[in-house]
């Protein structure tokens, strides 16, 4: 995703990591929605799909590094925007994924 992001967005904002993380939040919401509604996943499948797949797909370590790089470059407004957008959209997309399944 980071390879495609510069084509779609020019600037300091780390769009690739951002997109992967918010898409992962939506997928986690879908999986948790399925788990709560229909109990279609066993505890093992829960760990495999939610913790394993989504945890491997999203990347908090890259997010943290992006934040550090933005801060070290003095890109404070981009840093704050990235932090706020990641948290707010991430939570909203987890909610949306769960709501879609209900």
């Amino acid at each position: 995703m980071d390879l495609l992001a510069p084509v779609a967005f020019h600037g300091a904002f780390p769009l690739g990591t951002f997109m992967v993380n918010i898409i992962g939040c939506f997928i986690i919401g879908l999986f948790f929605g399925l788990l709560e509604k229909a109990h279609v996943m066993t505890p093992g499948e829960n760990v495999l799909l939610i913790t394993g797949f989504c945890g491997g797909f999203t990347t908090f370590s890259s997010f943290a590094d992006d934040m550090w790089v933005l801060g070290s470059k003095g890109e404070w407004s981009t840093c704050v925007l990235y932090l706020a957008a990641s948290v707010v959209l991430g939570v909203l997309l987890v909610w949306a994924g769960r709501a879609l399944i209900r």
Side-chain angles (χ1 to χ4, degrees):
M1 187 68 85
D2 273 335
L3 297 175
L4 299 175
V7 175
F9 187 87
H10 301 287
F13 193 87
L15 188 61
T17 304
F18 177 75
M19 294 300 296
V20 165
N21 285 338
I22 63 169
I23 290 167
C25 288
F26 182 69
I27 293 170
I28 284 173
L30 291 173
F31 285 152
F32 272 118
L34 284 171
L35 185 65
E36 290 171 346
K37 181 178 181 179
H39 303 287
V40 295
M41 287 191 277
T42 67
E45 291 168 333
N46 178 6
V47 170
L48 175 69
L49 292 174
I50 295 171
T51 305
F53 173 73
C54 291
F57 178 69
T58 60
T59 172
F60 185 77
S61 57
S62 291
F63 169 75
D65 184 62
D66 290 341
M67 295 290 294
W68 185 87
V69 168
L70 289 170
S72 69
K73 290 181 177 179
E75 299 275 351
W76 297 111
S77 59
T78 303
C79 188
V80 169
L81 173 65
Y82 183 39
L83 175 65
S86 295
V87 172
V88 170
L89 283 175
V91 171
L92 285 174
L93 286 171
V94 167
W95 171 83
R98 291 175 106 135
L100 186 65
I101 298 298
R102 288 185 198 159

